[in-house]
Amino acid sequence: MKTNTAIKPESNVPFRKIQKQSVTEDVESQLRDAILTGVLAPGESLAEARLGAQLGVSRASIRQAKFQLMNEGLLEFDERGTATVRRLTLSDAHEIVEFRQVLELAAIRLACSRLTNDTLIALEENIRQTEQESNLLKLTFLDIAFHEAIMRASGNSRLVDAWRGLRPQLELWLAGVHRRHSDVTARTCEETVASHKLLISALKTGDPDVAEKAMSEHTSSLQNWLLLEAEREQEAEA
């Protein structure tokens, strides 16, 4: 008599999501917020035992979160394996700005011919929220979200992936700039709204050259932040 050796189909077991995963994501989120708000300052070390006790989680959860934040460019490890909040140099800032400009100019040209009504609605809603926001860090996030919407409108997934790889360090740099130059950033909301409205108008023309010119003028304002940072660095060395 033959034995039926056929493999039975796998049953559809209703697995529960692993709790550890959500714990790690929560740790990542809290550490990321602490870094971007400056609660964890550039150069500050992240001791697993202390953070684990403060957050009420295992050192393994802290370690996993730290590796993710390292991949995002927010943390760095020294030769002893100690994780510290990344201190972006002026050279880092120049590279971040240059890379952002390359991505933004390519994206807005593509977005001109692929713009949808849904994207326009999302961009206009972003501006509405920006007009009502007074918190500088939230303004930074809204600003970056506006530009990410244009990235997505380009329809180029690799361009979007490159942007998302840059975004954490862009957020880190801009958040730090806004804190260090709060006297200048008091006008950030009004200037951002006015500039973003010009970008929407340029997109609506459907002309890639017009849109690229508007984006070039918009991103060139980042050079002003670089100058402020250079002046600050020179004063610190004096």
Side-chain angles (χ1 to χ4, degrees):
M1 183 177 176
K2 263 190 169 182
T3 306
N4 186 358
T5 57
I7 299 174
K8 293 182 180 179
E10 295 181 1
S11 57
N12 187 19
V13 180
F15 286 115
R16 177 180 58 81
K17 285 190 179 293
I18 302 299
Q19 193 63 28
K20 272 191 172 180
Q21 182 66 26
S22 62
V23 167
T24 301
E25 288 175 356
D26 192 10
V27 172
E28 285 174 19
S29 177
Q30 291 197 56
L31 292 180
R32 187 181 294 108
D33 287 349
I35 291 168
L36 295 179
T37 56
V39 172
L40 289 173
E44 186 171 345
S45 62
L46 277 65
E48 290 176 8
R50 175 173 55 82
L51 287 171
Q54 288 177 327
L55 294 168
V57 298
S58 68
R59 294 179 64 168
S61 294
I62 299 293
R63 193 174 303 117
Q64 289 175 37
K66 289 198 300 185
F67 280 123
Q68 174 59 32
L69 296 176
M70 178 194 70
N71 290 335
E72 293 179 12
L74 301 181
L75 294 179
E76 51 193 1
F77 286 81
D78 62 21
E79 62 281 358
R80 296 171 299 174
T82 302
T84 58
V85 177
R86 185 165 188 179
R87 191 190 302 276
L88 293 175
T89 65
L90 190 57
S91 176
D92 290 327
H94 276 283
E95 288 191 3
I96 288 168
V97 169
E98 287 172 350
F99 191 29
R100 175 181 176 173
Q101 288 173 322
V102 169
L103 296 177
E104 297 257 35
L105 296 181
I108 202 164
R109 290 190 67 88
L110 292 171
C112 269
S113 60
R114 301 170 181 176
L115 192 65
T116 65
N117 193 49
D118 285 346
T119 296
L120 281 174
I121 291 172
L123 292 173
E124 287 164 354
E125 172 60 20
N126 179 284
I127 287 178
R128 188 190 67 77
Q129 291 179 32
T130 301
E131 287 174 321
Q132 298 175 358
E133 187 55 66
S134 58
N135 181 283
L136 280 176
L137 183 59
K138 290 180 180 178
L139 281 173
T140 298
F141 291 154
L142 283 167
D143 181 14
I144 291 174
F146 180 93
H147 288 272
E148 185 162 315
I150 294 176
M151 286 287 165
R152 290 197 302 271
S154 74
N156 188 305
S157 62
R158 286 166 176 79
L159 199 58
V160 173
D161 286 344
W163 166 262
R164 287 178 176 165
L166 174 68
R167 186 179 63 191
Q169 291 184 55
L170 179 59
E171 290 174 341
L172 178 63
W173 178 62
L174 285 175
V177 164
H178 288 162
R179 286 196 307 275
R180 290 188 290 272
H181 306 284
S182 57
D183 55 330
V184 178
T185 55
R187 302 188 304 273
T188 296
C189 179
E190 294 80 5
E191 292 172 353
T192 299
V193 166
S195 189
H196 285 182
K197 285 180 177 179
L198 289 175
L199 287 177
I200 290 179
S201 297
L203 277 168
K204 286 179 176 178
T205 67
D207 186 330
D209 293 333
V210 170
E212 182 180 358
K213 183 174 184 294
M215 183 62 82
S216 180
E217 290 173 354
H218 176 70
T219 57
S220 67
S221 64
L222 293 170
Q223 298 297 328
N224 296 330
W225 295 119
L226 290 173
L227 289 173
L228 284 173
E229 290 289 89
E231 291 172 5
R232 179 177 175 273
E233 194 170 279
Q234 289 172 354
E235 290 172 1
E237 293 173 353

